[in-house]
Structure formats: structure tokens, C-alpha cells
Amino acid sequence: MIWLIFLISCLTLKPLNAQNAFEARLCTAPDKRTGTCIPVKLCQPMVHYLLQAPSITHEIADMLIRYRCDPTIQEIMVCCPNGPIIINATQKLETIEPKSCTTPHKRIGTCVPIKMCLPMIDYLQRVPSITQEISEMLNEFQCDLTQNDIMVCCPKEPIIINEVRKMFSRNVVQHRNIDLLPENCGELPGGNRIIGGNKTTLFEFPWMALLAYRSQNIVEFRCGGSIINSRYILTAAHCITQLQPLQLVFVRSGEYNISSSIDCQDYNNGLFQICASPVQDIAIEEVIPHPNYNRMALSNDIGLIRLVAPLNFSVENVKPICLPTDNDLLRADLTFRVLTVTGWGLTETGSRSADLLKGDFRISSQKYCQMMYARVRLRLYNTQLCGGGTVDSCGGDSGGPLQGIESFIDEDRFVQYGIVSFGPRRCGNNGFPGVYTKIGPYLEWILDNLKP
């Protein structure tokens, strides 16, 4: 993402404010020439290069970023050489046929090279600073990753600042429905019950839910979900919409071993046994897929299920998980974090494990994820996470939770950060990562759709 901000900053050519004073110093450019560390908009050789280049490829963009210097200053600083910038990068010049596209604000636009999108350049000239929210907005405008040039979905109308800020609002703490998410959530199991490996214990993940479908006269579980309060299950949109010929009939909570009628577990080498309360099978009152779910693009893959009756939280095997409603959790960078996926391995094929399993894996960088899925001509968004690619990370259900232990209301709790969305057909296929819908960007939508 940094290269996109970098190039835009060069192209906007905003004047340097007097308040952003800096002390010029000598530096060494990537081609070993001596230069001066100055704001990028004042580096005439770089501005001239960018305006004259017939095509700005990803290779050229990566090379230009190496000119950056002094990241401690708010302005984007570059090591500006005395002479012209020459980059010996192979450029394959092609005629790019303009394609229609949809911007993040649901406007019709044209997929064009970034340097040709005047509304975006004009918008960036008007903003006082490039914040994290604006950076995310810029990334959402990207289109057609198959081209060498950096392409954006360029609207015909001006980009409105207030519209962008509203789009990335994260003030969920004051939401009118925030109290519908229980504070007694994501509790870690008491006692010495957590065991090693990928096998879970009886009450370790009591927020796990199973979605039951009817096909002809057969009812089977094909997706998972997570309990977020007594009436709502959080899952993937692809699990609750466009299901023909399947029919979603009920949700099961409190399950551990699918093949047993009563779930029990031995402790202390069989000295005593603990059994769980019966499962709770509850019919469905309403399914709420995200209105912008796109089955072809596999984007906005999130949905809610409202049950016809509340779950009983007085038993130990049915409890809600926490969502990242705290501002620190919302802003958390999950890159390279180790998170846990749980499930019975349920997929659209119906294959599964009898016991509830867990798998830990590391979240990959967004750049790596986009690079991997660009190989199969699939675009990933900032509203998605990806990671894993080994057998250990394949135990999750479609629609099931991706979670981690965090400090939540001054206690260690499980917080759900993602929803299992899609991945390679074969488990652990050449290290290809799975993709998860990120919870944070959809928290307001979740809260908007909750009812008492």
C-alpha cells in the first residue's frame, strides 16, 4: 500500500506548508549518487520522471520507494539526486482497453492507470493529510491486478471527503445497539482443561454453532458460525444465501462430537468424567446476508442469523464470543499474529471431523495475500485477512470463527477477528493461504442489524 500513497503524493504536487519546515541533509540514492533528503513534492527529477513515464509498473513503483528517507518526518521525504532519475526496468507497453467498474462508494467508474484519474488526484490535493483511513480508501479503489500498470476505479464525479470519512467510521462504542453484545463473552475455560495439539476440550469453544441444511429428506451440517448473543449467529454470507437446492433449517449450539448423543470427557487419567448439557437446536427466524455480498468476487462474505428463540446461556457448553468493539482492538494490526480457527472441517462438500478441532496459524501480510491470489485473477480487499496454507489451518468450517486471546474489559478473553470465507479446494495446497472476512470493518453493519 505504501507505494500507492507514495506515487499519489508525487503526482499531486501540493505546495509545502511553512509549518512543515525541515532541515535538508545529504543522503545516498539507490543508484549510489549523493542527493538531498527533501519532501517528494520538491524533488523535480522524481516529479519529472513520473509525469513523463508512459507506464508506472509495480516494479518501477517498488524501485521508487527505495528513494525514501527520514521516516520520522510527517512529510514523505526522498533522497533527491542532482541529475535525472533513470530506472532500467523492462516495460511492456500495451493498449489497455478501458473497463467499467464500481467504486467503493457504489458509483460507476472506469478502470484506468492511477496517473490518469484526475478526481483522485484532485481529492488528494484537498485533504490536509493522508490518514490511515484514507490509505484504506485508496486501496479499495484498486482494480484489475492483472495489468502491469497500477489501475484504479476512477469515478466521473469528484470524490467527496465527507463520504470517504463516513465510509470508514469506526465509532462503534457509542452505537445504539452496543449493549446487545454481552460483556460476559469469550471466557476462557476454567481449570486445567486446555490440552495440546489440534484437539479441543469439551467447553473450550462454547460459541461454536453448526448450520443444518435439508437436501431432499437428508439433514446435514455444511457450515459453521459463532454465537454473538442469545438470538444471533455470525456466519458467512455464502452459507445463508443462494443455497438452492439446499434449505437452511436450524442452528445447533453446544455441540462437541457430532457422532455422539451425549458429549463427555475424561479428566485426570479417567479418574472422573464431565458431561455437557444437551445440544440446543433452534429454528431460524431471519437470515441477513450482507447487501453487498458478491458471490463472483467473494467479497463482503458476512451474514447474520436471527433465531426464533433465545439460547440458554446458563449451561457451560453454550456461551457467546466477544467481538472487537474496543478501539484498540479495532486498530490492531493482525499481520503476522498467530490466531486460532475452530471447527469440524465443514465445507460445501459435507466432509467433516466428528470432534471439534482447532488450528493455529500466522496471518500473512496483505501484500503477500494479494500477490498469491492475483495468480488466479482474484482480487483481495482490505476487508479480508489471509493466512495458513498448512493442514493445521484447514479444520475451520465455512462461516466459522477466527479468534485470538486478547485483553477485553481487563480480562483475557477470546475475541473473534474473522470469519472463514474461502480457500484452496485441497487442504494445504502448496502453502496457498485461506481467506477470512475481517470483522472490524463490518461492526457497524452487525450492530445496525441487531434487534432485542
Side-chain angles (χ1 to χ4, degrees):
M1 186 56 221
I2 185 65
W3 48 263
L4 184 54
I5 302 171
F6 181 83
L7 292 176
I8 290 286
S9 299
C10 295
L11 295 172
T12 54
L13 296 175
K14 291 191 292 186
L16 181 66
N17 296 330
Q19 63 186 25
N20 294 331
F22 65 94
E23 182 178 352
R25 59 181 178 81
L26 295 179
C27 56
T28 302
D31 57 7
K32 307 304 180 184
R33 286 185 291 172
T34 298
T36 307
C37 189
I38 60 175
V40 62
K41 63 194 70 175
L42 298 183
C43 182
Q44 291 303 316
M46 182 165 290
V47 172
H48 178 78
Y49 175 83
L50 287 169
L51 293 177
Q52 296 300 316
S55 176
I56 303 174
T57 65
H58 286 273
E59 292 79 9
I60 291 176
D62 289 339
M63 183 63 184
L64 290 173
I65 288 174
R66 294 173 59 188
Y67 278 85
R68 290 198 71 186
C69 60
D70 201 348
T72 63
I73 296 179
Q74 188 174 3
E75 289 279 346
I76 297 179
M77 309 290 285
V78 295
C79 189
C80 189
N82 294 326
I85 293 175
I86 301 173
I87 297 177
N88 295 321
T90 302
Q91 299 184 43
K92 183 179 179 180
L93 302 181
E94 299 175 342
T95 300
I96 300 175
E97 189 71 24
K99 297 179 182 178
S100 179
C101 56
T102 304
T103 72
H105 311 125
K106 307 306 174 187
R107 298 179 185 175
I108 299 301
T110 306
C111 193
V112 299
I114 188 171
K115 61 188 291 183
M116 295 174 59
C117 183
L118 295 181
M120 181 172 288
I121 293 175
D122 176 69
Y123 168 74
L124 289 165
Q125 285 179 328
R126 289 184 281 115
V127 297
S129 61
I130 300 177
T131 64
Q132 179 64 30
E133 289 77 16
I134 292 176
S135 298
E136 291 181 11
M137 179 273 292
L138 291 176
N139 200 44
E140 291 293 330
F141 273 89
Q142 279 190 266
C143 59
D144 198 355
L145 296 178
T146 63
Q147 299 291 337
N148 286 331
D149 214 1
I150 298 167
M151 310 289 287
V152 294
C153 189
C154 191
K156 296 178 181 179
E157 306 88 355
I159 296 174
I160 301 172
I161 295 178
N162 290 337
E163 185 177 13
V164 173
R165 289 178 178 171
K166 181 179 178 181
M167 175 187 171
F168 289 97
S169 174
R170 294 288 187 270
N171 187 21
V172 299
V173 178
Q174 304 298 326
H175 196 284
R176 67 185 186 279
N177 288 332
I178 192 68
D179 291 337
L180 296 180
L181 296 178
E183 290 187 354
N184 294 328
C185 56
E187 295 178 353
L188 276 60
N192 187 22
R193 294 182 183 172
I194 297 181
I195 60 177
N198 66 345
K199 186 175 174 62
T200 65
T201 56
L202 195 56
F203 305 115
E204 193 175 351
F205 299 97
W207 40 83
M208 294 299 299
L210 288 164
L211 277 55
Y213 302 81
R214 179 182 290 118
S215 177
Q216 297 179 349
N217 294 324
I218 300 174
V219 175
E220 58 185 349
F221 302 115
R222 289 176 174 257
C223 271
S226 56
I227 302 168
I228 61 171
N229 76 9
S230 62
R231 293 294 294 272
Y232 285 90
I233 305 298
L234 184 63
T235 187
H238 77 262
C239 290
I240 60 175
T241 187
Q242 303 173 18
L243 298 175
Q244 293 79 8
L246 298 176
Q247 179 188 4
L248 182 59
V249 287
F250 67 86
V251 174
R252 171 169 292 183
S253 303
E255 185 61 279
Y256 176 70
N257 184 303
I258 294 176
S259 62
S260 65
S261 57
I262 300 177
D263 291 331
C264 299
Q265 202 162 62
D266 293 334
Y267 291 91
N268 289 354
N269 296 321
L271 290 179
F272 66 96
Q273 186 181 67
I274 295 179
C275 295
S277 299
V279 298
Q280 301 180 38
D281 291 345
I282 301 183
I284 295 166
E285 179 180 299
E286 183 184 10
V287 295
I288 313 167
H290 194 280
N292 296 328
Y293 167 60
N294 187 318
R295 188 171 185 174
M296 297 300 295
L298 301 173
S299 59
N300 302 304
D301 192 10
I302 186 172
L304 291 165
I305 298 173
R306 180 173 168 87
L307 305 175
V308 297
L311 292 163
N312 177 13
F313 284 166
S314 67
V315 296
E316 198 170 357
N317 59 332
V318 178
K319 303 287 184 184
I321 190 171
C322 304
L323 298 184
T325 54
D326 179 271
N327 285 330
D328 290 336
L329 298 178
L330 279 173
R331 291 192 293 263
D333 184 2
L334 300 177
T335 307
F336 307 130
R337 280 280 306 278
V338 175
L339 299 179
T340 302
V341 67
T342 46
W344 291 265
L346 298 171
T347 66
E348 291 76 7
T349 65
S351 61
R352 61 175 180 263
S353 162
D355 292 319
L356 177 63
L357 303 177
K358 63 182 177 182
D360 297 336
F361 63 89
R362 196 173 301 278
I363 298 298
S364 302
S365 69
Q366 195 74 5
K367 183 177 181 180
Y368 172 78
C369 296
Q370 291 171 343
M371 177 190 70
M372 292 294 286
Y373 275 91
R375 297 178 183 178
V376 292
R377 295 178 179 267
L378 188 62
R379 176 186 174 187
L380 293 190
Y381 299 82
N382 270 5
T383 53
Q384 294 167 315
L385 297 166
C386 94
T390 65
V391 174
D392 284 345
S393 64
C394 296
D397 306 332
S398 292
L402 175 68
Q403 60 236 306
I405 298 177
E406 302 286 357
S407 178
F408 187 89
I409 314 181
D410 298 325
E411 290 186 23
D412 285 342
R413 308 280 188 91
F414 272 106
V415 175
Q416 182 174 352
Y417 280 115
I419 299 170
V420 179
S421 182
F422 65 91
R425 288 287 183 181
R426 294 185 60 188
C427 200
N429 184 17
N430 296 325
F432 215 80
V435 177
Y436 305 81
T437 303
K438 193 186 298 184
I439 298 293
Y442 298 99
L443 263 177
E444 287 188 77
W445 177 83
I446 293 171
L447 290 167
D448 286 344
N449 285 277
L450 297 184
K451 295 184 294 185

